[in-house]
């Protein structure tokens, strides 16, 4: 690939972001499709200034990750209806200076899950109450899944459970909760803390479906334990690619 005066710039914006596979993924796609474009990783502490940078430099598009998926929203010109309902944006498209926000987390997770399970009628424990939990929670509700939010902090967990209209379970009481499906949406287990698992091992029962949205490592400690205990496991890599 030759970078020249016409090369379009894309990137992922987050903090931390150095573990991100998105640059490798997108640059491989650009090269396979012959697009004159590059995709970089931008680690920042200031999302507002970053959005100004997207406008000023004519950056064509950006992926938005931890911790900016919600805080980026006020700085955009338009939010896609699904992203608005979810309350989080993970993709910005720059359409001739007009910045529109989308959420592809929910659809990526849905496709990864549907490749492995029939969702309608299942019960699901979602671990975490951040932007990803919110996106997946809304999507699962639409698929007729009975969702419960499990979170470390009561305040955030109860707030998300209330907006989804579903039960809240404190993380330290998860042993009393039931779910055929478990979706892990926190950063626990992500590199470099790869020995951490956010839930006690004994809740992982044979036949359960366990998905982790962490994709680095591709098989987290949670998925490792789940596999050993006879669960069906779904890696964050599947969601990322979808
Ligand atoms: P995102 O928007 O990408 O989902 P986030 O908004 O930073 O990310 O959300 C992080 C989630 O991970 C939160 O639910 C957080 O729990 P708290 O509400 O208690 O902060 C959860 N989380 C982060 N670190 C955790 C840890 N060490 N143990 C348990 N939960 C953790």
């Amino acid at each position: 690939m030759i970078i020249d005066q016409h090369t379009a710039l894309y990137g992922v914006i987050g903090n931390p972001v150095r573990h991100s596979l998105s640059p490798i993924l997108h640059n491989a796609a650009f090269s396979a499709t012959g697009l004159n474009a590059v995709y970089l990783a931008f680690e920042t502490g200031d999302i507002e200034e970053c959005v100004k940078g997207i406008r000023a430099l004519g950056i064509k598009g950006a992926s938005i990750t931890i911790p900016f998926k919600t805080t980026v929203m006020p700085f955009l010109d338009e939010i896609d209806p699904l992203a608005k309902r979810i309350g989080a944006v993970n993709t910005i498209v720059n359409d001739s200076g007009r910045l529109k926000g989308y959420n592809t987390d929910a659809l990526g997770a849905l496709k990864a899950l549907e490749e492995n399970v029939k969702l309608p009628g299942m019960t699901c424990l979602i671990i975490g109450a951040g932007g990803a939990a919110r996106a997946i929670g809304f999507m699962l509700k639409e698929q007729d899944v009975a969702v419960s939010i499990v979170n470390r902090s009561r305040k955030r967990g109860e707030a998300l459970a209330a907006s989804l209209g579903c039960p809240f379970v404190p993380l330290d009481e998860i042993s009393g909760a039931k779910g055929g499906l478990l979706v892990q949406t926190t950063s626990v287990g992500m590199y470099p803390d790869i020995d951490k698992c956010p839930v006690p091992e004994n809740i992982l029962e044979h036949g359960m479906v366990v998905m982790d949205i962490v994709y680095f490592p591709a098989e987290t400690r949670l998925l490792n334990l789940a596999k050993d205990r006879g669960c069906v496991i779904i890696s964050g890599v599947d969601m990322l690619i979808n």
Side-chain angles (χ1 to χ4, degrees), residues 24-188:
I24 290 172
L25 200 72
H26 286 86
N27 287 316
F30 289 152
S31 133
T33 53
L35 284 173
N36 185 2
V38 292
Y39 184 109
L40 304 178
F42 300 105
E43 194 162 283
T44 179
D46 189 334
I47 190 63
E48 183 175 6
E49 290 300 313
C50 267
V51 175
K52 285 184 189 162
I54 292 175
R55 290 183 200 280
L57 299 174
I59 292 173
K60 293 279 195 184
S63 309
I64 304 297
T65 188
I66 289 178
F68 301 124
K69 288 180 185 179
T70 304
T71 50
V72 72
M73 295 175 76
F75 309 119
L76 305 179
D77 300 309
E78 194 181 341
I79 310 283
D80 172 72
L82 175 66
K84 201 178 278 178
R85 213 153 10 109
I86 290 167
V89 155
N90 77 333
T91 302
I92 298 173
V93 174
N94 185 349
D95 184 7
S96 309
R98 201 174 157 72
L99 303 188
K100 184 166 176 183
Y102 296 86
N103 190 304
T104 66
D105 277 336
L107 295 175
L110 177 62
K111 285 196 181 142
L113 282 164
E114 281 179 335
E115 283 162 11
N116 292 277
V117 280
K118 270 206 162 40
L119 288 171
M122 289 197 87
T123 52
C124 175
L125 303 176
I126 295 181
I127 315 297
R134 197 177 168 83
I136 293 171
F138 269 94
M139 178 275 292
L140 287 177
K141 290 272 293 182
E142 285 183 359
Q143 299 296 315
D144 283 328
V145 174
V147 171
S148 297
I149 295 296
V150 182
N151 198 48
R152 177 181 60 180
S153 79
R154 179 173 282 275
K155 198 166 162 222
R156 219 164 157 202
E158 281 180 342
L160 177 58
S163 78
L164 288 171
C166 76
F168 165 70
V169 179
L171 185 56
D172 51 15
E173 291 172 26
I174 192 174
S175 296
K178 280 264 169 263
L181 175 62
L182 186 142
V183 179
Q184 194 307 105
T185 73
T186 77
S187 52
V188 179

